[in-house]
Structures are given as structure tokens and as C-alpha cells.
């Protein structure tokens, strides 16, 4: 497992939103989340949590294939050749609607039906 550090942590801290990609029977599927929701749940360690209000197709996709890719980006983070830096995170995901993580997320976000838990496998920079 991999931790989020350095420039990728800075990108997440300054991003407005995050794209979440899974693979379904018909190909790629995208959803998004406000990055401040992710930051509110913490970006330390090897797991990221996302409040899941809907994410029903994402949940079905992850049951078949747990691979997930996240994309954060911010123009506020400088890359060596100019403004704007992106960061992708590859990992394994699962939507949990009960248990300690789900209950903690529901307490913070009453509209959430559960939590998308992403265990980080790889972190890469882009742009």
C-alpha cells in the first residue's frame, strides 16, 4: 500500500473536486465528489474515504471489479514547468453501507447512505 505524500497531498488539499473511475460491463464509469468532503474525512494513511450519497453504479462495478482510479487536479499547485498539477490514485474500492467507517461518515454527512473506501495502491503525478 502507498501513502499520499508530497506534491500529491498538496494537490488533494487544494483541489475543488475529484473524478472517480470504475469499470462496468459497458466500459468506464465516472462519478465525482467534492474534494472538501474527502479532506473532512482525512487524507492520512493508505485509505481515502468518500461519502456515498448515490454511487449505486459505482458500487455494482466495484463488486465485479474492485479497481478504481481517482483524479485530483489544482491550478494552485506548481509543477516544474508551470501552473497546475494533477495526481491520480489507483487502488481498490468498496462501498460500505454499514460498519464503523460507514457510521462515522453518516454522522458527518447525514445525506450519505454509506462510504466509498479506497485502499491506495499507486500514486502518480500528471500534467
Amino acid at each position: 500500500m502507498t501513502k499520499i505524500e508530497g506534491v500529491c497531498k498538496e494537490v488533494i488539499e487544494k483541489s475543488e473536486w475529484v473524478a472517480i473511475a470504475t469499470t462496468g460491463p459497458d466500459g468506464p464509469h465516472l462519478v465525482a465528489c467534492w474534494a472538501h468532503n474527502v479532506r473532512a474525512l482525512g487524507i492520512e494513511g493508505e485509505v481515502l474515504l468518500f461519502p456515498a450519497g448515490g454511487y449505486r453504479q459505482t458500487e455494482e462495478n466495484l463488486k465485479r471489479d474492485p479497481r478504481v482510479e481517482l483524479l485530483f487536479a489544482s491550478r494552485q499547485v506548481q509543477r516544474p514547468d508551470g501552473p497546475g498539477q494533477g495526481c491520480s490514485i489507483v487502488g481498490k474500492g468498496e462501498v460500505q453501507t454499514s460498519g464503523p467507517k460507514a457510521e462515522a461518515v453518516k454522522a458527518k454527512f447525514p445525506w450519505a447512505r454509506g462510504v466509498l473506501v479506497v485502499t491506495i495502491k499507486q500514486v502518480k503525478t500528471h500534467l
Side-chain angles (χ1 to χ4, degrees):
M1 289 188 276
T2 302
K3 291 184 178 184
I4 298 170
E5 323 178 280
V7 71
C8 282
K9 187 167 184 179
E10 183 181 3
V11 168
I12 293 171
E13 289 170 346
K14 294 180 178 176
S15 290
E16 188 171 341
W17 60 278
V18 55
I20 304 165
T22 59
T23 303
D26 297 324
H29 174 73
L30 290 171
V31 295
C33 182
W34 295 113
H36 67 86
N37 291 351
V38 178
R39 290 189 296 270
L41 297 170
I43 56 171
E44 301 299 324
E46 301 162 340
V47 173
L48 285 176
L49 304 177
F50 299 80
Y55 293 179
R56 295 188 193 285
Q57 184 63 53
T58 299
E59 181 177 17
E60 289 304 311
N61 291 349
L62 292 172
K63 286 178 183 176
R64 283 188 223 92
D65 182 349
R67 294 176 301 160
V68 62
E69 187 161 358
L70 313 172
L71 180 62
F72 292 87
S74 175
R75 289 192 58 80
Q76 299 174 37
V77 180
Q78 294 291 312
R79 64 181 188 276
D81 61 345
Q85 181 67 61
C87 176
S88 68
I89 297 170
V90 176
K92 298 217 174 204
E94 174 187 23
V95 174
Q96 299 176 6
T97 56
S98 62
K101 288 180 178 128
E103 297 311 315
V105 169
K106 290 177 190 179
K108 197 165 256 201
F109 299 97
W111 50 264
R113 69 180 184 91
V115 59
L116 169 60
V117 179
V118 175
T119 303
I120 301 162
K121 301 294 182 195
Q122 181 181 25
V123 177
K124 305 181 275 189
T125 56
H126 298 279
L127 296 177

